[in-house]
Amino acid sequence: MLLKNRIEKDLKNIISRENLLFDKSELYCYSEDSSNSRGCTKIPDAVVFVKTIEDVRRVIKYANEHRVPVISRGAGTNMVGACTCPRGGIVLNFSKMNRILDFNPINMTMAVEPGVVVGEIKKIAESQGLYYPPDPSNYKVSTIGGSIAQSSGGASAFKYGTTKDYILNLTVVLADGTIMKLGANTIKDAVGYHLNQLIVGSEGTLAIVVEAELKLIPKPESRRTIIGYFDSIENAVSGVNNIIRNRICPSTIDFMDKNSMLTVEQYYPCGICYEKEAMLLIDIDGFESSMEQQQSLVIESLKKANASNIQAAKSAEEIEKVWTARRSSFAATAKLAPDVLSDDLIVPRSNIAKMVCGCKEICKKYNLKVCLVGHLGDGNIHPQIALNLDNEEEFKRYYMAKAEIYDLAISLQGTISGEHGVGVEKLSYVGNIVNNSTLEYMRRIKSIFDPNNILNPGKIFN
Ligand SMILES: Cc1cc2nc3c(=O)[nH]c(=O)nc-3n(C[C@H](O)[C@H](O)[C@H](O)COP(=O)(O)OP(=O)(O)OC[C@H]3O[C@@H](n4cnc5c(N)ncnc54)[C@H](O)[C@@H]3O)c2cc1C
């Protein structure tokens, strides 16, 4: 690979100086993201703030010619090391490529550049009574480019799906600088392979997304949040099954375990009944006229599963208070130890109780503090483990626990990520879940898109 000095000199010839970073102190923070990637990353050689498709094309062509890795970066909030720099290289920073290109309320579409923050898309859609549902819980900072690349989900996936369900058309730049449009601007498209869906979740390893046409839907008129507490996770799962049997489709069915409730209440007191084993947070939405009926069916379902302290939040302030508690669980867990690592497992809903209980047992066996939260409706749990990464012995215990938790998810017909992706963090476990012939095909697809392996190398698989 080229020396840093040469890359610096060459980039100055193709990108204006004010959009380049080369100082080690400035580059340092681009070597990490929200994962624990220590040891799997290097300081990049340069950061380029791209502003146009032409900027992206110029940098990619240069990098491809000289075999320099290119790592796209949104807000850097992914939790799997997906935008770390294991081989150094050039980081493309999309924070200046953040325009809304078109908003068409009649067609219910919005065209955006990759650096637009997801929360901004939601806000603009809502100004016209429309809705962009995908909601990674940090949507106020994460970007649409990062969401597309990680196929982000969130609490409302139970009813509304994830990012992949809202992508109509993508404009991408390939490793050789070719610009391609993948998909159509229409709600349906049955012409050829759906290559846009191949890019979703590809973690910046196949192509660089430079524009996205998103699908919007009408925003439900009303929303309510119902919470209920349970003496066991099994009862909480029965509550969920009863709701579905009652033909209610909540937008969200989230949960917190006893430790998460206790930890949140300790640091952000908000009146949670932490003596219970599990709490369900259920959002219903739709026409105001349907709210009372939906709410009473949900309450009936929860009661049948022996729930206690059932409460319904109606006003925006009450709803926000409940959800702030749930969203604070990561920050609260972070107060238990110097570091916190959040994982992401998913199993069929019929196995979720076994997954939650097994996860707790594994963490107990390895003497690790764990707070469990997740999207129970989807079967998706996030064990948040508080530890000290500088304590080698503790880290070893964490590492063994993590492998056992993954094995458990696989043995329960699940998989090792429902929404966070693979990055470098889960790379060595991919072979346990994806068989060799499938992996071989994935590698072949990668080599067609990126024969010189310059796009985010060392992510997903080696
Ligand atoms: C507190 C917290 C809560 C979270 N909650 C959730 C949650 O509920 N659900 C969920 O799914 N995730 C969640 N995440 C993970 C994270 O929010 C998502 O992965 C997010 O979508 C990443 O967006 P980003 O802008 O930070 O992307 P980055 O982390 O910057 O990048 C992510 C990936 O996208 C690639 N990329 C970025 N831009 C482009 C582009 N233009 N073209 C091609 N590739 C690109 C990068 O190379 C990298 O592989 C959470 C993270 C945190 C820290």
Side-chain angles (χ1 to χ4, degrees):
M1 203 176 108
L2 292 183
L3 289 174
K4 183 177 181 305
N5 288 349
R6 169 77 193 279
I7 294 174
E8 180 170 339
K9 189 165 160 263
D10 293 344
L11 283 178
K12 282 178 180 162
N13 286 330
I14 54 176
I15 296 287
S16 60
R17 181 65 188 91
E18 77 269 15
N19 290 317
L20 295 167
L21 299 180
F22 299 110
D23 286 355
K24 213 171 174 182
S25 58
E26 292 169 322
L27 298 176
Y28 180 76
C29 56
Y30 289 91
S31 62
E32 299 206 354
D33 51 25
S34 298
S35 63
N36 158 44
S37 49
R38 295 180 192 189
C40 321
T41 189
K42 284 187 181 160
I43 295 176
D45 298 288
V47 173
V48 182
F49 290 81
V50 282
K51 291 177 93 174
T52 61
I53 296 178
E54 186 51 28
D55 283 350
V56 176
R57 213 181 60 84
R58 269 196 238 127
V59 176
I60 292 280
K61 269 180 86 80
Y62 167 77
N64 197 37
E65 202 174 306
H66 298 282
R67 312 289 191 263
V68 180
V70 174
I71 304 98
S72 299
R73 189 174 175 109
T77 69
N78 80 83
M79 292 180 147
V80 290
C83 53
T84 54
C85 311
R87 302 175 195 174
I90 301 170
V91 169
L92 293 187
N93 182 321
F94 284 94
S95 59
K96 293 188 181 176
M97 203 164 163
N98 61 350
R99 288 175 307 152
I100 306 285
L101 301 170
D102 183 49
F103 174 31
N104 190 325
I106 300 294
N107 293 338
M108 297 198 292
T109 55
M110 195 186 294
V112 296
E113 289 186 328
V116 177
V117 168
V118 174
E120 186 65 13
I121 295 169
K122 285 176 169 291
K123 213 167 24 175
I124 293 170
E126 285 169 25
S127 71
Q128 295 293 318
L130 295 173
Y131 188 34
Y132 176 73
D135 56 348
S137 52
N138 66 338
Y139 67 82
K140 289 183 183 163
V141 289
S142 54
T143 66
I144 189 68
S147 276
I148 293 168
Q150 296 307 103
S151 191
S152 299
S156 66
F158 181 74
K159 181 171 184 178
Y160 293 110
T162 62
T163 305
K164 70 176 183 344
D165 301 303
Y166 296 87
I167 302 301
L168 298 176
N169 201 353
L170 293 178
T171 305
V172 299
V173 179
L174 299 185
D176 64 359
T178 305
I179 296 170
M180 285 205 305
K181 275 201 181 274
L182 311 173
N185 289 357
T186 47
I187 295 298
K188 295 193 281 183
D189 165 28
V191 183
Y193 299 147
H194 287 184
L195 293 182
N196 51 1
Q197 291 296 328
L198 187 57
I199 301 303
V200 179
S202 67
E203 304 193 13
T205 63
L206 295 181
I208 309 292
V209 176
V210 287
E211 281 179 16
E213 181 90 13
L214 307 174
K215 173 178 129 176
L216 307 173
I217 59 172
K219 176 145 171 78
E221 186 187 40
S222 292
R223 172 185 173 202
R224 285 191 195 174
T225 302
I226 299 150
I227 58 172
Y229 295 89
F230 298 84
D231 289 327
S232 70
I233 179 72
E234 286 84 359
N235 281 354
V237 174
S238 295
V240 175
N241 294 339
N242 293 342
I243 292 172
I244 295 165
R245 239 176 262 127
N246 267 330
R247 304 191 193 187
I248 301 291
C249 186
S251 54
T252 302
I253 311 180
D254 258 33
F255 100 111
M256 293 171 81
D257 78 339
K258 189 188 184 88
N259 273 355
S260 323
M261 291 192 272
L262 187 67
T263 309
V264 166
E265 193 57 32
Q266 204 171 342
Y267 293 103
Y268 306 103
C270 50
I272 295 182
C273 301
Y274 53 81
E275 63 278 6
K276 293 289 179 180
E277 284 300 318
M279 173 194 190
L280 282 187
L281 294 91
I282 296 139
D283 267 15
I284 48 172
D285 61 8
F287 283 112
E288 180 56 31
S289 55
S290 75
M291 285 294 118
E292 285 302 319
Q293 192 190 6
Q294 288 200 56
Q295 182 177 311
S296 63
L297 284 170
V298 169
I299 291 176
E300 178 194 301
S301 312
L302 299 185
K303 279 188 180 155
K304 226 170 148 185
N306 296 322
S308 56
N309 296 54
I310 300 171
Q311 296 154 36
K314 285 186 191 175
S315 69
E317 298 76 53
E318 286 172 322
I319 292 174
E320 190 51 32
K321 191 174 164 202
V322 173
W323 277 101
T324 303
R326 161 67 179 86
R327 290 200 197 100
S328 305
S329 71
F330 184 73
T333 311
K335 301 224 177 212
L336 298 177
D339 303 289
V340 60
L341 300 175
S342 176
D343 218 310
D344 167 38
L345 294 313
I346 186 160
V347 294
R349 197 159 12 86
S350 53
N351 284 335
I352 187 88
K354 285 186 196 144
M355 187 67 220
V356 169
C357 297
C359 199
K360 281 185 183 177
E361 273 164 32
I362 292 167
C363 288
K364 193 168 167 200
K365 174 172 147 194
Y366 289 102
N367 193 20
L368 294 165
K369 289 181 202 145
V370 64
C371 292
L372 288 167
V373 294
H375 316 302
L376 210 64
D378 309 335
N380 191 191
I381 65 160
H382 296 307
Q384 298 173 336
I385 298 179
L387 76 173
N388 180 356
L389 290 172
D390 290 332
N391 178 338
E392 255 179 58
E393 190 273 331
E394 189 175 37
F395 186 67
K396 257 190 212 150
R397 278 188 277 121
Y398 161 75
Y399 206 73
M400 288 190 284
K402 175 168 146 166
E404 278 190 32
I405 291 171
Y406 291 0
D407 286 346
L408 175 66
I410 295 168
S411 74
L412 294 172
Q413 287 88 48
T415 188
I416 59 173
S417 175
E419 51 184 23
H420 290 176
V422 174
V424 289
E425 285 285 324
K426 299 195 176 185
L427 183 145
S428 57
Y429 303 92
V430 169
N432 299 352
I433 185 79
V434 180
N435 71 29
N436 282 342
S437 45
T438 311
L439 257 182
E440 183 46 33
Y441 255 83
M442 288 191 189
R443 287 200 179 93
R444 282 199 219 170
I445 290 169
K446 166 75 173 163
S447 67
I448 291 169
F449 273 84
D450 178 21
N452 296 322
N453 193 22
I454 60 150
L455 293 178
N456 216 0
K459 312 293 164 65
I460 307 181
F461 42 67
N462 278 315

